Each structure stands twice: as C-alpha cells, then as structure tokens.
C-alpha cells in the first residue's frame, strides 16, 4: 500500500489537508471535486474542500486556516491574481495553485509565489502529476511555518522570513523581512518551537535567526538594517551557535 508522506502530526499520523477553492463555475468546481476524490483514494489522503464563489468571501473568511488554495484567475470582481496578492499580505507561505483557461498567466503567478497553475478544463492525469509537487510543498510548510494569533487575526509565515523575535515586557514582536507582528507570550515558549540549530539568543530580549546575521562587531550583531546588543553572559554560547551554523552550512 502506497502512502505519500505529505502531512503528518507530531506522532506520525496522517492528518486532513484543508483546501480552499475559489471557483465560480459549477462545471469546473465539479471537476476539481472529482479529481480530489480520485487522488485521495489512490494515495490514501484525507482532505476537506471549502468552496468560495467570489474573492470577497474568501478574503473575508481567510485567516491561515487552509493548507492549499486553488484560485481561479477569471472570477467576478477581484480576479484570482489580485486575490493572491491580498492573501500574501496575511500569509507568506500558504501554497497557491492557479486555475486558468490561459497558459499566459503561468509567468505572472510567480509574482505571488504560486506553486503551479492548472489549465481548465481540469485533466486528472496532469492534476495528479502536479499534485505530487504541490503536496510536497504543503508538507514542507507544515514543518517550516509559524502561525501566530494576534488581536487582528492569525498570521502564518515562513521561518526563513523571520529575522528575530523580541520580547518587550509581555509583548512578543516577530521581526520579518516585510513587517513586524506583535502578540503576547514568552520568549522561552518561542525558543522551544523554533529549530535550535537556526535560532540563538544574543541576550535575554532577542532570539536571532542565524541565517540573517550579516556581521558581528564587538558586542553587536547586525541583522539587515538592525543592530542588536550581545550580552556578556550570552556571548560565548551565541558565538558558538553561529560558528556551528556557518560550519554546518559550509560542509
């Protein structure tokens, strides 16, 4: 029996893949449903489809609860491409696949980090071939993303985009390349979630993504345009972690 290792929980059980479909055509939505029905039976996957007829309803209800988005480009109102751009403001890493009648949109899709595009009417053979790649990305996202609950809703982003985490009183500030996200919590809790090989404290207030360190000068670490102090008690361990990270990536 063949199982595709796309999405598992912490103890290795297969969990449901949650999929949103932006599609106003009954005919095309029926073909998507049939394709998923066949694919799930062939590869023993559990999934849940949620349909949206227009972009406004998807954007209103979207809060990073889906693993995968199928977006029809030609929908009434805001098209699928513009919808994807809006979604990327909330979620940097959710996997997006475009549905279109025209292959010319394939290049444009890369602007929003789309995983792939599928031509309509959907053909099961080509669908199945592309889904192996797409669901591999879903699996990677499951391991490499954080979902943060804030007062404004949920935010999901790639760990790779995280520069550092700051604690200020009881406020946690996630410094990303494009924005800062604030929530409540403790730095210790974040430290337990993030990979230890990649993150290290330079002092009690900052947990640094070693990938983004550009320079060390005296007791200061440079991350992009930011400069963070390295405390005396943390310096030896921080420098060891940085050396091990650099060495591991060179070997």
């Amino acid at each position: 029996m063949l199982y595709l290792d796309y999405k598992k929980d912490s103890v290795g059980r297969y969990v449901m893949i949650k999929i949103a479909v932006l599609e106003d055509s009954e005919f095309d939505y029926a073909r998507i449903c049939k394709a998923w029905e066949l694919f799930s039976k062939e590869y023993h996957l559990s999934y849940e489809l949620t349909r949206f007829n227009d972009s406004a309803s998807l954007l209103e209800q979207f809060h990073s609860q889906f693993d995968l988005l199928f977006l029809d480009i030609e929908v009434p109102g805001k098209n699928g491409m513009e919808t994807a751009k809006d979604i990327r403001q909330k979620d940097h890493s959710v996997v997006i696949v475009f549905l279109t009648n025209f292959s010319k949109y394939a290049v444009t899709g890369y602007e929003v980090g789309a995983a792939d595009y599928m031509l309509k009417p959907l053909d099961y053979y080509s669908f199945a071939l592309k889904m192996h790649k797409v669901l591999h990305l879903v699996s990677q996202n499951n391991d490499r993303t954080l979902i943060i609950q804030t007062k404004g809703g949920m935010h999901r982003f790639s760990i790779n985009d995280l520069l550092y985490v700051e604690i200020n009183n009881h406020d946690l500030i996630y410094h990303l390349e494009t924005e800062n996200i604030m929530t409540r919590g403790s730095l210790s809790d974040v430290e337990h979630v993030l990979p230890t090989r990649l993150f290290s404290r330079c002092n009690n207030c900052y947990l640094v993504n070693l990938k983004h360190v550009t320079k060390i000068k005296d007791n200061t670490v440079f991350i992009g345009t930011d400069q963070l102090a390295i405390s005396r008690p943390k310096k030896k361990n921080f420098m060891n972690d940085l050396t091990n990270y650099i060495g591991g990536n060179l070997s």
Side-chain angles (χ1 to χ4, degrees), residues 64-100:
S64 296
Q65 72 271 45
F66 299 109
D67 301 299
L68 174 60
L69 305 180
F70 283 89
L71 304 180
D72 181 17
I73 291 182
E74 301 90 17
V75 289
K78 185 174 289 189
N79 66 35
M81 193 67 65
E82 292 300 318
T83 302
K85 291 178 181 178
D86 287 349
I87 285 172
R88 281 290 181 242
Q89 298 300 314
K90 302 179 181 180
D91 192 318
H92 299 273
S93 57
V94 64
V95 178
I96 295 175
V97 175
F98 284 115
L99 304 170
T100 178

